[in-house]
Amino acid sequence: MEMTSAFSLTVRPDFVAVVTVDVPGEKMNTLKAEFATQVRAILRQIRENKAIRGVVFISAKPDNFIAGADINMIDACQSAQEAEDLARQGQQLMAEIHALSVPVIAAIHCPCLGGGLELALACHRRICTDDAKTVLGLPEVQLGLLPGSGGTQRLPRLVGISTALEMILTGKALRPRQALKVGLVDDVVPVSILLEAAVALAAQERPASRHLPAKERLLASPLGRTLLFRMVGKKTEQKTQGNYPATAKILHVIEMGLAQGRSSGYEAEARAFGQLAMTPQSQALRHIFFASTELKKDPASPVQAGALRSVGILGGGLMGGGIAYVTAGKGNLPVRIKDINPKGINHALQYSWQELDKKVRRRHLKPAERDAQMARISGTTDYSGFSRRDVVIEAVFEDLALKQQMVAEVEAHCAPETIFASNTSSLPIGSIAAKATRPEQVIGLHFFSPVEKMPLVEVIPHAGTSEQAIATVVKLAKAQGKTPIVVADKAGFYVNRILAPYINEAIRLLSEGERIETIDNALVKYGFPVGPIQLLDEVGIDTGTKIIPVLEAAYGDRFSAPANVVSAILNDDRKGRKNGRGFYLYATKGRKSNKQADSTIYPLIGASGAGKLSAESIAERCVMMMLNEAARCSAEQVVRSPRDGDIGAVFGIGFPPFLGGPFHYMDSLGAGEVVATLQRLTALYGPRFTPCQTLLQMAEQGETFWRKKETDFVS
């Protein structure tokens, strides 16, 4: 075999053939169409060598088996037929592996996803390591696709229909013990003996097919199947709101294979894969995938980042506790929390303990690992232990004088090179740094709540922040498991600035007589994870509305919310979920909490609650306010590129991923269409909908935010 091959074959003295996967020059193994000839050549050698007793597929990469198929290959397809042919080639290759007359074993260490798991499913048995990084899954649905190399047919027959449906419809990956329990793997072993254990399996007889549990056998009967697919179909429709065409296709293809046999199933799978690859939803989801992958690699600054050995946190509240948890847990960095009150420190430590303990109970962590992570977090009421912290993250109350005082204290008690990062959501970083003796070390690092769940952070340099401080904070954010975007130091930064007009419009609709749940349902149907009014309840009405006057002062009337509504609600002591009453009332029964819209809101704000607008009109008004503001942010260079703007909206506020983010979405509509819609809304509802100058200009000149090749953006 030539050296550049991704697949190589060695036959051991015990006549077990080992096929090693190692894509040259890449960190991850991904499957490409051109590898088919390499694999076929190896399979031919195996068939011709009659002495071979078994085959093991294993990866030479230290931290992945096969992470999936190369998405660029799918993206390059120009037609449904081309994508369908790709799927057929994949299916044929897997069939050839499965058809070998000797036992074939997949030896899996670290991620085995998508096409990687389809290859493992084509083997006769699978064995994986007990490593925390080992996961097995078919995440194609997250790219608006379905498994195209036989996964929809092989998985249900191996693990049963209901487990397979759950994995393929949600893209959820299984950990080693879960995979063993459902029968996806035959054994779980330490990495040190993975190859030996796989070779031992390969030397055994080919196994008879596995016995499924009674529940899965029942569901495989025609009646059980019909009921299951009907129920799952309903549940999926509720969850996706019909916005993701892949889920309906997945159900159809799996059902087809079970009802009419494998060959019909494979046929339907390849055809559906081809059709889905061409849908605008899959193109948008792939766009998000490429943009976020690129963003993860972007150092954000030409300058080398400073050292990251330990982190300090000021404030042990909910944000401080959450930041400490991700810094110690994901970043493996020692963290010291300072709070004026020992109670604050205990609260923050307790938060990390509860989160880690949850993971132990779910068997995601061993007790010893939990204890080691806890040992990285300590607390203090003074600045002891702060002298050598590389970054100090401030998460105290939103008060400018207090934050300036924190800067002065950190400059007095920490090393000269310590970076001061403020987790503020509304105060200008330049103002926080105004009295600093080392303003170049002051930067914003805006987390979203709840910290451990929200993937985005905004990194906000002010005019005087050094390039090294930017690089270091971006490096820290990535270590914490976050996706950072660098944004300008302007009121609202980026995420809150595009979110505020969207929420304001929802409040305005409420004051015009629309019902709370009608507004929220309209935007959930549109593709947001929660409606704007529920979002305000979740964030806290007092917290969420605090930024409105800041934005109004900076940008004028288009940011004003119906003041009577906001003040009436706050005066009635409604804060949202945190005090059990907001626009919704929250009742806790046992461990379940349920909410219902509170109809006493309507007389309180002098609105009818009669409602007359369609769901489409409601969603259009809220979303167009957001898009117009995003276009302004691009023009003012609040975000560095449309890429950052799209990822910021999708990861920061759950902008519908299948629309690809505000800039991708405006490009797919066309600037002319966006302008026409905004002008129609201006005529109906007033000047706040006036399309911004940038959009007018783009419409006139037929421009787009993204260039035709998605990797170049017009910035």
Side-chain angles (χ1 to χ4, degrees):
M1 299 293 296
E2 71 274 22
M3 283 310 289
T4 55
S5 178
F7 288 79
S8 55
L9 172 71
T10 42
V11 181
R12 295 164 43 110
D14 57 10
F15 296 107
V16 170
V18 178
V19 181
T20 307
V21 192
D22 192 359
V23 180
E26 300 282 343
K27 198 175 165 306
M28 302 293 255
N29 285 327
T30 57
L31 299 176
K32 298 174 168 45
E34 62 263 29
F35 296 161
T37 47
Q38 299 174 14
V39 179
R40 288 215 162 89
I42 285 175
L43 295 177
R44 197 175 314 117
Q45 284 174 273
I46 293 170
R47 284 194 297 267
E48 286 166 1
N49 184 343
K50 298 300 175 211
I52 290 175
R53 307 159 49 203
V55 180
V56 171
F57 275 87
I58 196 164
S59 164
K61 305 280 186 208
D63 56 5
N64 60 93
F65 176 69
I66 298 172
D70 181 5
I71 316 291
N72 288 299
M73 172 178 80
I74 300 162
D75 217 48
C77 292
Q78 297 292 309
S79 67
Q81 189 58 53
E82 245 180 273
E84 184 179 329
D85 292 344
L86 259 188
R88 276 187 212 288
Q89 287 164 30
Q91 289 176 348
Q92 281 159 1
L93 195 61
M94 302 309 172
E96 280 183 49
I97 291 170
H98 191 74
L100 289 173
S101 58
V102 293
V104 184
I105 314 298
I108 299 161
H109 175 55
C110 290
C112 168
L113 300 168
L117 182 55
E118 288 182 294
L119 185 140
L121 287 168
C123 297
H124 305 131
R125 296 175 96 167
R126 289 144 296 281
I127 184 168
C128 74
T129 65
D130 56 6
D131 194 283
K133 289 198 182 112
T134 299
V135 286
L136 298 91
L138 294 171
E140 288 83 351
V141 70
Q142 294 163 0
L143 294 173
L145 299 166
L146 48 65
S149 299
T152 64
Q153 305 306 301
R154 285 201 169 93
L155 189 65
R157 290 174 172 87
L158 180 67
V159 299
I161 308 174
S162 71
T163 304
L165 280 175
E166 191 191 354
M167 284 179 71
I168 299 175
L169 284 169
T170 62
K172 191 182 100 179
L174 301 185
R175 293 164 189 272
R177 297 275 158 220
Q178 295 169 305
L180 182 64
K181 194 174 165 189
V182 301
L184 182 55
V185 297
D186 300 84
D187 203 0
V188 176
V189 298
V191 65
S192 55
I193 60 161
L194 176 64
L195 183 59
E196 282 64 40
V199 166
L201 264 186
Q204 293 174 15
E205 286 294 298
R206 266 182 67 167
S209 61
R210 185 178 158 263
H211 279 302
L212 288 172
K215 178 186 124 186
E216 291 288 0
R217 287 204 302 277
L218 189 69
L219 291 172
S221 71
L223 178 65
R225 211 166 55 221
T226 308
L227 290 172
L228 176 72
F229 276 91
R230 191 179 302 154
M231 191 182 79
V232 172
K234 236 190 213 145
K235 213 169 120 185
T236 306
E237 174 68 23
Q238 226 174 351
K239 216 172 148 185
T240 62
Q241 299 286 330
N243 288 319
Y244 293 84
T247 52
K249 286 259 194 268
I250 287 166
L251 287 164
H252 167 71
V253 166
I254 294 178
E255 193 166 18
M256 171 80 100
L258 293 167
Q260 297 182 19
R262 284 176 202 235
S263 63
S264 302
Y266 286 127
E267 189 66 36
E269 179 187 84
R271 198 166 42 249
F273 184 87
Q275 291 164 345
L276 287 170
M278 293 298 124
T279 59
Q281 291 89 341
S282 179
Q283 285 163 359
L285 290 162
R286 296 197 304 263
H287 158 80
I288 290 295
F289 171 81
F290 289 127
S292 67
T293 308
E294 203 181 281
L295 198 52
K296 284 188 182 97
K297 293 180 188 158
D298 185 353
S301 168
V303 174
Q304 189 75 32
L308 272 181
R309 290 158 302 216
S310 68
V311 171
I313 291 173
L314 306 180
L318 201 59
M319 292 306 277
I323 297 166
Y325 170 69
V326 296
T327 309
K330 289 245 169 68
N332 294 333
L333 289 163
V335 178
R336 193 150 173 85
I337 303 165
K338 178 191 177 295
D339 198 288
I340 44 174
N341 192 331
K343 249 167 70 190
I345 296 160
N346 287 341
H347 181 266
L349 290 169
Q350 190 185 357
Y351 178 84
S352 279
W353 174 265
Q354 284 167 345
E355 289 296 319
L356 290 167
D357 206 42
K358 231 187 278 175
K359 288 191 167 179
V360 171
R361 287 201 303 276
R362 290 181 185 152
R363 296 194 162 168
H364 297 177
L365 275 185
K366 297 188 174 84
E369 293 169 323
R370 170 200 61 201
D371 298 347
Q373 287 195 25
M374 271 315 290
R376 289 194 196 106
I377 308 175
S378 62
T380 174
T381 52
D382 53 25
Y383 278 93
S384 62
F386 265 72
S387 63
R388 309 264 4 126
R389 302 281 148 179
D390 300 302
V391 179
V392 173
I393 301 170
E394 164 275 303
V396 302
F397 190 67
E398 288 283 271
D399 175 291
L400 183 59
L402 179 62
K403 289 185 191 278
Q404 287 177 340
Q405 182 195 327
M406 294 293 115
V407 174
E409 288 180 12
V410 165
E411 288 184 331
H413 293 99
C414 300
E417 56 278 3
T418 300
I419 293 168
F420 181 97
S422 173
N423 172 49
T424 176
S425 57
S426 61
L427 296 168
I429 308 302
S431 307
I432 294 171
K435 298 177 177 173
T437 52
R438 292 190 291 274
E440 69 280 3
Q441 301 290 84
V442 179
I443 193 167
L445 182 58
H446 179 212
F447 292 85
F448 296 85
S449 181
V451 176
E452 76 285 356
K453 286 203 178 78
M454 297 297 283
L456 189 80
V457 294
E458 291 179 307
V459 173
I460 311 117
H462 65 95
T465 303
S466 74
E467 283 291 337
Q468 189 180 34
I470 298 173
T472 310
V473 168
V474 164
K475 181 175 152 189
L476 171 62
K478 288 176 183 171
Q480 293 165 327
K482 301 298 173 198
T483 301
I485 59 169
V486 178
V487 301
D489 187 18
K490 292 190 167 184
F493 312 132
Y494 171 64
V495 172
N496 283 340
R497 176 161 165 194
I498 65 168
L499 182 63
Y502 162 87
I503 289 183
N504 279 350
E505 198 56 32
I507 297 174
R508 196 165 261 127
L509 281 156
L510 193 64
S511 70
E512 288 171 17
E514 295 303 326
R515 296 189 70 75
I516 296 166
E517 62 277 39
T518 310
I519 298 168
D520 278 348
N521 293 343
L523 283 133
V524 167
K525 176 108 191 82
Y526 195 85
F528 284 86
V530 295
I533 294 181
Q534 192 193 330
L535 182 64
L536 199 50
D537 262 6
E538 298 292 341
V539 171
I541 301 169
D542 50 344
T543 318
T545 52
K546 197 180 281 162
I547 195 166
I548 294 172
V550 178
L551 291 164
E552 218 180 326
Y555 307 114
D557 283 353
R558 69 173 191 274
F559 275 93
S560 64
N564 59 326
V565 177
V566 177
S567 56
I569 283 168
L570 289 173
N571 291 341
D572 196 36
D573 190 35
R574 291 173 183 268
K575 291 185 176 145
R577 192 184 279 280
K578 61 181 164 190
N579 76 340
R581 51 200 300 266
F583 295 96
Y584 292 87
L585 292 175
Y586 299 87
T588 309
K589 274 193 186 142
R591 287 180 66 179
K592 276 195 129 163
S593 86
N594 52 5
K595 64 172 189 8
Q596 68 186 80
D598 184 358
S599 53
T600 62
I601 288 269
Y602 307 119
L604 186 71
I605 61 172
S608 68
K612 56 182 189 302
L613 289 178
S614 68
E616 292 76 24
S617 303
I618 289 172
E620 180 181 65
R621 277 174 60 175
C622 295
V623 174
M624 289 320 275
M625 285 297 285
M626 185 185 277
L627 295 179
N628 203 9
E629 205 54 47
R632 283 192 184 91
C633 287
S634 170
E636 293 171 27
Q637 296 197 311
V638 170
V639 278
R640 290 183 166 189
S641 64
R643 174 199 71 186
D644 294 12
D646 281 345
I647 293 297
V650 172
F651 287 15
I653 46 186
F655 187 91
F658 66 89
L659 297 176
F663 296 104
H664 178 89
Y665 184 43
M666 286 190 276
D667 281 355
S668 63
L669 292 171
E673 177 64 25
V674 178
V675 164
T677 306
L678 284 165
Q679 284 169 336
R680 171 168 56 78
L681 292 171
T682 308
L684 285 168
Y685 303 107
R688 66 182 180 282
F689 284 102
T690 307
C692 67
Q693 213 36 58
T694 304
L695 282 171
L696 290 167
Q697 200 179 324
M698 286 173 72
E700 211 170 286
Q701 294 167 4
E703 286 174 1
T704 54
F705 290 102
W706 287 82
R707 295 217 174 97
K708 281 296 165 257
K709 191 169 173 338
E710 289 257 312
T711 45
D712 319 316
F713 8 79
V714 191
S715 60

